[in-house]
């Protein structure tokens, strides 16, 4: 199913994605894998919320949260990252 953004956004508005949050079973292993792609993470915690990791890049914040019983692992979400040299990233 394809949804046209123009249907929901006024023609004079600019829209861009600025936040992606995923929940993972092993936050350290997930961070290791994303770091291999070139992302760097800082530890964050908002108020009494769960500690998590955040990576900022070109206007986008990518966050890794630990999965919990109330908020299970993010599934069926596809993310694509561009890298300069895939052979250098994947060894």
């Amino acid at each position: 199913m394809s949804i046209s953004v123009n249907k929901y956004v006024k023609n004079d508005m600019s829209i861009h994605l600025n936040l992606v949050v995923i929940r993972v079973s092993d936050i350290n292993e997930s961070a290791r894998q994303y770091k291999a792609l070139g992302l760097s993470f800082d530890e964050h915690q908002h108020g009494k919320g769960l500690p998590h990791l955040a990576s900022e890049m070109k206007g986008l914040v990518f966050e890794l949260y630990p999965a919990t019983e109330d908020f299970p692992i993010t599934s069926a979400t596809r993310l694509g990252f561009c890298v300069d040299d895939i052979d250098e990233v994947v060894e």
Side-chain angles (χ1 to χ4, degrees):
M1 180 174 144
S2 177
I3 298 175
S4 171
V5 173
N6 293 335
K7 181 177 178 181
Y8 302 99
V9 178
K10 294 179 182 179
N11 289 337
D12 61 345
M13 290 181 63
S14 174
I15 186 168
H16 67 274
L17 183 65
N18 71 340
L19 176 65
V20 174
V21 177
I22 62 171
R23 296 199 175 260
V24 297
S25 60
D26 185 332
I27 197 166
N28 293 319
E29 176 60 19
S30 295
R32 185 190 68 74
Q33 292 175 12
Y34 287 110
K35 285 177 182 178
L37 295 175
L39 277 68
S40 60
F41 289 92
D42 293 317
E43 293 182 7
H44 281 232
Q45 184 171 10
H46 309 290
K48 295 181 181 179
L50 289 175
H52 61 281
L53 299 176
S55 179
E56 295 185 37
M57 58 195 119
K58 296 184 182 181
L60 173 72
V61 177
F62 177 67
E63 295 183 328
L64 299 174
Y65 271 80
T68 66
E69 187 174 311
D70 291 334
F71 298 101
I73 295 170
T74 301
S75 63
T77 299
R78 296 176 66 172
L79 302 173
F81 290 92
C82 293
V83 296
D84 291 332
D85 185 349
I86 190 66
D87 292 327
E88 184 178 310
V89 173
V90 180
E91 296 178 16

